Amino acid sequence: QNIHLNIPSQKPHKSKQTILQMSRRLGKEFQQLSETAPQDWLEVQLVNDNLYNWRVVMLGPEGSPYENGKFLIDLNIPSEYPFKHPQVKYLVKVYHPNVNDDGTICEELFEPWSPQKRILDVCTTLRTQLADPDVETPLNLPIAEIYKNDFNKFEKTAKDWTKKFAK
């Protein structure tokens, strides 16, 4: 599979060599995840051959209300990657204390960020958070309250939404 480098406009202070190195790394990560993925719960594609915009299909974690769900996720990777983490947005409705109604998540999930982290680490973190929500600092307070006060209702609703929206 050929990878086309459709690179968004870069800030002028970066050298072409730095940009090329970052693109090479990102291309290598994409190739590793798309061709020889070490996990069976993740698929990646480029959006419009843009190396900085990935479409991810992540299977919900086993033993969670999200099990068997296929969660479509948009990753917008900044030109500063790997020095900045990707912007993440679920493209399907997710009933979860850490996911907003518009599919955005709390970016602090990836902090502290370091250039050693990879896109696989981002996806693994997202999958872990599905199974183990942070209800102490929720993004969606009403769902967090239900999680804390009526877990059975939370679990049933999360399973229902997963069946309905994460097909």
Side-chain angles (χ1 to χ4, degrees):
Q1 177 181 357
N2 289 337
I3 297 174
H4 305 285
L5 296 181
N6 181 1
I7 302 171
S9 60
Q10 306 291 332
K11 293 185 172 60
H13 69 274
K14 285 200 178 115
S15 74
K16 287 184 179 180
Q17 186 171 358
T18 302
I19 294 166
L20 190 57
Q21 287 172 339
M22 290 164 38
S23 296
R24 243 188 242 131
R25 171 183 163 163
L26 198 51
K28 191 174 183 179
E29 284 190 56
F30 177 79
Q31 192 169 13
Q32 288 172 341
L33 288 177
S34 62
E35 293 178 3
T36 58
Q39 65 294 317
D40 58 358
W41 52 266
L42 184 67
E43 292 176 22
V44 297
Q45 297 176 336
L46 298 181
V47 177
N48 298 322
D49 290 331
N50 183 345
L51 190 56
Y52 289 82
N53 189 351
W54 294 22
R55 190 67 31 90
V56 173
V57 177
M58 179 178 73
L59 297 180
E62 298 82 12
S64 77
Y66 309 100
E67 186 172 6
N68 298 321
K70 289 185 178 182
F71 295 90
L72 193 60
I73 300 166
D74 191 47
L75 291 183
N76 279 304
I77 301 162
S79 59
E80 297 86 4
Y81 181 83
F83 302 101
K84 283 185 149 186
H85 63 77
Q87 300 296 307
V88 175
K89 183 175 183 176
Y90 282 92
L91 299 177
V92 296
K93 290 180 66 115
V94 182
Y95 190 82
H96 193 280
N98 304 117
V99 180
N100 261 336
D101 292 338
D102 66 359
T104 56
I105 63 160
C106 182
E107 298 297 327
E108 292 173 5
L109 176 65
F110 304 118
E111 299 301 333
W113 181 258
S114 77
Q116 288 73 35
K117 291 187 180 177
R118 301 188 167 277
I119 300 298
L120 178 58
D121 297 318
V122 170
C123 296
T124 301
T125 299
L126 289 171
R127 193 164 191 256
T128 300
Q129 187 186 49
L130 272 182
D132 187 20
D134 177 3
V135 292
E136 298 310 313
T137 57
L139 209 50
N140 196 319
L141 192 56
I143 294 175
E145 290 301 317
I146 293 169
Y147 182 96
K148 288 194 269 189
N149 299 321
D150 189 350
F151 184 77
N152 289 337
K153 180 180 178 182
F154 165 81
E155 192 172 49
K156 181 186 180 327
T157 307
K159 283 180 181 179
D160 290 347
W161 279 38
T162 298
K163 285 179 189 162
K164 187 174 182 180
F165 301 113
K167 301 178 196 178

